[in-house]
Amino acid sequence: MSSVRDEFEAWRQRRLVELTEERNKLTGQRQHLDARERPVLATGSAGEEIARTLGEFLQRNRCVEGTLELTRISKGETEQFDPLLYATGAHGQPESFFQFRFEPFVTLAEKLLQQHPGNGVLTVRVDLTARTSSVTLRGAAEVKSLRELEKLEAATRQVDSRLAWFRHVAPSDEPFGPELAASVARRLKTGGVLGFSHRDYCGMGLFKDEDGSFVYTELWDGFGVREVRRFKDEEHLVRWLAQQSDLSLSNYGDDFSFLNQTLDRKRLEEFVKA
């Protein structure tokens, strides 16, 4: 199994290098976006009135703080307003509101956005406990820049998660052994199918074919779609499976299928006990 371990470690180290390079690239793109100036449009007394009426609404609904985000989407001569309101209740619980479309703070917010051409987002935050409020109005270019930054941050978090996983992942290379392999073969002979059955990719599986041979295959929607190995009889299957391990059957070398519903000792043991 040493050659398998060596191959796996070489691939794992390559992936760590590639993911680190990807993260550095994303970091550079984020820094470039962070350096851009995003001018905030003035809201004046109109913004103050929106914050005041939003505060009254929150107080009336026993909330301690809340945020209104109103997006204006302009298409030719038509426009659409998309309001979102979320808040925190007196006991710290999140509150959602759906019947607020005709509240004064929404009407005032729409009027303010209509004073600026094109798309825009108005964000109003009110904290009744701290007695503070903020009103931010951004135009289409600034909003697009912020959305790009959010996507980069999400991609960076995903890469960070993969990096952390690849740093510590270490499937066992202990062979399954002849006893477990023989038990799996006997279970397959009785009609058992070792494999998941659900939508889309189902990982790897083992089953006995109609001609008496045994098939190790990739599964999609519960069906074998790509045969990897075929064994003409029980003896050949047991000899091969006894030498395998969690690591050798982990599909290392491919990010998508690596440890994605692969066969391991735990699944084999559960299969023979079923």
Side-chain angles (χ1 to χ4, degrees):
M1 285 295 174
S2 60
S3 61
V4 173
R5 174 64 66 184
D6 291 343
E7 288 177 1
F8 166 70
E9 285 298 333
W11 173 69
R12 189 175 73 91
Q13 292 301 324
R14 284 198 304 273
R15 289 300 292 130
L16 284 170
V17 170
E18 292 165 354
L19 287 167
T20 300
E21 291 175 349
E22 185 178 350
R23 192 192 191 286
N24 291 340
K25 181 180 178 180
L26 289 169
T27 300
Q29 293 174 335
R30 285 173 59 202
Q31 290 173 343
H32 175 70
L33 279 177
D34 280 336
R36 292 187 189 176
E37 286 190 11
R38 300 188 183 90
V40 177
L41 303 175
T43 59
S45 59
E48 294 175 2
E49 184 64 12
I50 296 170
R52 186 187 67 79
T53 52
L54 174 58
E56 290 177 349
F57 174 86
L58 294 172
Q59 191 170 30
R60 203 164 59 242
N61 285 276
R62 299 180 180 179
C63 294
V64 294
E65 60 87 24
T67 300
L68 168 70
E69 186 175 282
L70 182 65
T71 303
R72 177 179 185 246
I73 303 172
S74 179
K75 296 180 180 179
E77 297 182 357
T78 64
E79 61 182 9
Q80 175 185 334
F81 290 98
D82 183 17
L84 175 66
L85 177 61
Y86 46 94
T88 303
H91 300 290
Q93 76 278 13
E95 298 284 358
S96 298
F97 296 98
F98 303 99
Q99 303 297 327
F100 64 92
R101 186 67 178 76
F102 300 104
E103 290 289 335
F105 61 86
V106 177
T107 304
L108 292 169
E110 290 179 356
K111 288 181 179 179
L112 179 58
L113 275 172
Q114 287 172 332
Q115 296 175 15
H116 301 275
N119 301 336
V121 175
L122 177 69
T123 305
V124 184
R125 294 186 175 90
V126 175
D127 187 328
L128 295 176
T129 303
R131 297 183 180 180
T132 59
S133 64
S134 64
V135 182
T136 306
L137 176 58
R138 299 186 186 278
E142 290 72 38
V143 172
K144 181 181 178 182
S145 178
L146 286 171
R147 295 293 183 261
E148 290 173 355
L149 184 59
E150 289 172 358
K151 289 180 181 178
L152 286 173
E153 288 173 343
T156 302
R157 287 194 297 271
Q158 187 174 24
V159 171
D160 283 342
S161 176
R162 296 292 291 171
L163 272 170
W165 191 63
F166 269 105
R167 288 191 185 106
H168 301 103
V169 65
S172 171
D173 59 1
E174 179 185 354
F176 298 141
E179 184 177 346
L180 179 56
S183 296
V184 170
R186 285 194 296 271
R187 180 80 172 82
L188 291 171
K189 286 172 64 178
T190 64
V193 176
L194 176 52
F196 295 123
S197 180
H198 53 72
R199 279 191 56 188
D200 303 323
Y201 183 68
C202 302
M204 307 301 296
L206 269 171
F207 67 92
K208 183 182 178 183
D209 209 351
E210 294 178 352
D211 62 2
S213 63
F214 297 86
V215 181
Y216 174 58
T217 182
E218 180 179 306
L219 300 170
W220 282 81
D221 297 319
F223 297 96
V225 296
R226 186 178 67 84
E227 183 178 309
V228 179
R229 295 186 71 112
R230 182 179 288 267
F231 308 91
K232 65 179 183 179
D233 54 33
E234 181 180 352
E235 179 184 351
H236 285 80
L237 169 65
V238 171
R239 186 184 306 144
W240 172 80
L241 188 58
Q243 298 172 354
Q244 303 310 308
S245 67
D246 293 359
L247 177 59
S248 67
L249 298 185
S250 67
N251 283 341
Y252 66 84
D254 179 75
D255 260 21
F256 172 74
S257 59
F258 175 54
L259 292 180
N260 185 353
Q261 306 172 83
T262 52
L263 301 186
D264 55 24
R265 181 180 297 275
K266 182 174 182 292
R267 286 188 63 189
L268 297 184
E269 291 176 345
E270 291 175 347
F271 177 66
V272 299
K273 291 177 182 177

